[in-house]
Amino acid sequence: MTAEQAGMFTRCPGCQAVYELRARLLAEAAGVVRCGSCGKTFNSLSELFEHRPDQSDEALRGEGMPPLLEHVELRQAELPVAFEPVPDEIETDDLFTEPTPPGGDSIVRRHFWPALSAVLLVLLLIQLWALWQTPGSPIARWLGSSVQPDAALDPNQTVQIVSRDMHPHPSLDDAVIVSTSLRNQAETAIPFPVIEFRFYDASQQVLGVRRVTPEEYIQDREALERGLAAGRIMPLVLEFVIGTSDPAGFQMRFH
């Protein structure tokens, strides 16, 4: 098979170098490749061609949502149900053949309904408690809305950094991705903090400072009002464009 028949090519947006795509290497890199000529990292799927392109050729562009695959709708036939009619001449009392001691029937009826009501009440309380312990349930939101976060607590004392990591952005040369997990160590809910990120180079010089407000990393307005619950761990993944040299490390503070 010739290169023109292979059917998949990509072109570096930096130096216009053309490369033939291999399915195995493309899958390992998730579409992100580095140009062997100029060293630029780019998404090869955004510069995709069916044939080896010339300099004036345009890359393939999608037109919207992918097509839906048709499938056969599975329908289960309704199962037949047979009913046997009860003869009219059979009385209700005739269905009970065991003899009832004198006064026994009234005693059973007198204690049956209170016992059944108590069992149903216990089951209802267990179900409400389970819904209360389920995050996001209507009961949890209703009960949690009455608990206001304690704004007097210092977030630098109550917020614990469980984990943090920084790695280069897969498609932007001047950006990094920061992933971190934060935990509320307080016994009550606290407001979501403003997080300050300071990026440093290898010589510990500050490359840039960025403050991220709760509205930027929390989209749910009700969650913002409830705050960060006690003991709750909150994972965050944020992108930052540095614009200068690559940062060697970063520091986090809370306000």
Side-chain angles (χ1 to χ4, degrees), residues 5 28 30 59 99 106 129 133 135 159 164 167 169 208-209 224 228:
Q5 294 174 339
E28 291 178 357
S106 60
W129 181 84
Q133 298 299 320
V159 178
R164 66 175 191 173
H167 53 273
H169 198 284
V209 179
L224 280 173
L228 184 58

Side-chain angles (χ1 to χ4, degrees), residues 56-79:
S56 59
D57 291 342
E58 293 291 335
L60 297 176
R61 294 291 183 266
E63 297 180 355
M65 293 288 292
L68 296 177
L69 300 178
E70 296 182 356
H71 63 279
V72 179
E73 183 178 2
L74 299 179
R75 294 183 179 273
Q76 182 178 359
E78 185 176 356
L79 299 178

Side-chain angles (χ1 to χ4, degrees), residues 204-219:
Q204 297 301 310
Q205 297 296 320
V206 177
L207 296 177
V209 179
R210 176 72 160 86
R211 287 192 176 186
V212 182
T213 62
E215 290 77 13
E216 293 181 273
Y217 61 84
I218 298 294
Q219 304 298 325

Side-chain angles (χ1 to χ4, degrees), residues 20-239:
E20 180 181 353
L21 295 177
R22 299 297 182 186
R24 181 178 61 83
L25 297 178
L26 190 64
E28 291 178 357
V32 179
V33 296
R34 185 184 298 274
C35 179
S37 178
C38 66
K40 181 177 180 60
T41 301
F42 65 97
N43 188 350
S44 62
L45 299 180
S46 63
E47 297 289 337
L48 196 63
F49 299 87
E50 292 182 338
H51 305 285
R52 182 177 293 275
D54 296 330
Q55 188 174 4
S56 59
D57 291 342
E58 293 291 335
L60 297 176
R61 294 291 183 266
E63 297 180 355
M65 293 288 292
L68 296 177
L69 300 178
E70 296 182 356
H71 63 279
V72 179
E73 183 178 2
L74 299 179
R75 294 183 179 273
Q76 182 178 359
E78 185 176 356
L79 299 178
V81 180
F83 296 93
E84 295 184 0
V86 180
D88 297 336
E89 62 271 11
I90 297 180
E91 298 293 337
T92 304
D93 295 338
D94 296 338
L95 298 178
F96 303 94
T97 57
E98 296 183 359
T100 303
D105 184 51
S106 60
I107 295 176
V108 171
R109 291 181 179 178
R110 187 168 62 250
H111 292 85
F112 174 75
W113 292 112
L116 180 61
S117 301
V119 172
L120 294 178
L121 178 60
V122 171
L123 293 177
L124 178 60
L125 292 177
I126 293 176
Q127 186 175 10
L128 291 176
W129 181 84
L131 290 175
W132 180 34
Q133 298 299 320
T134 302
S137 65
I139 298 297
R141 290 197 300 267
W142 178 64
L143 293 177
S145 61
S146 60
V147 180
Q148 298 297 326
D150 191 352
L153 296 176
D154 184 4
N156 288 292
Q157 301 295 329
T158 57
V159 178
Q160 176 190 13
I161 302 176
V162 179
S163 64
R164 66 175 191 173
D165 181 45
M166 179 180 65
H167 53 273
H169 198 284
S171 57
L172 298 176
D173 294 338
D174 56 350
V176 295
I177 294 180
V178 172
S179 58
T180 182
S181 296
L182 307 178
R183 179 178 179 271
N184 178 14
Q185 301 183 101
E187 297 181 355
T188 60
I190 62 173
F192 288 99
V194 175
I195 309 175
E196 179 181 285
F197 292 86
R198 287 179 175 267
F199 296 94
Y200 299 90
D201 59 10
S203 59
Q204 297 301 310
Q205 297 296 320
V206 177
L207 296 177
V209 179
R210 176 72 160 86
R211 287 192 176 186
V212 182
T213 62
E215 290 77 13
E216 293 181 273
Y217 61 84
I218 298 294
Q219 304 298 325
D220 189 352
R221 182 174 296 274
E222 294 183 358
L224 280 173
E225 295 177 356
R226 293 193 301 268
L228 184 58
R232 183 66 59 85
I233 296 179
M234 176 181 63
L236 289 177
V237 178
L238 303 172
E239 298 180 355

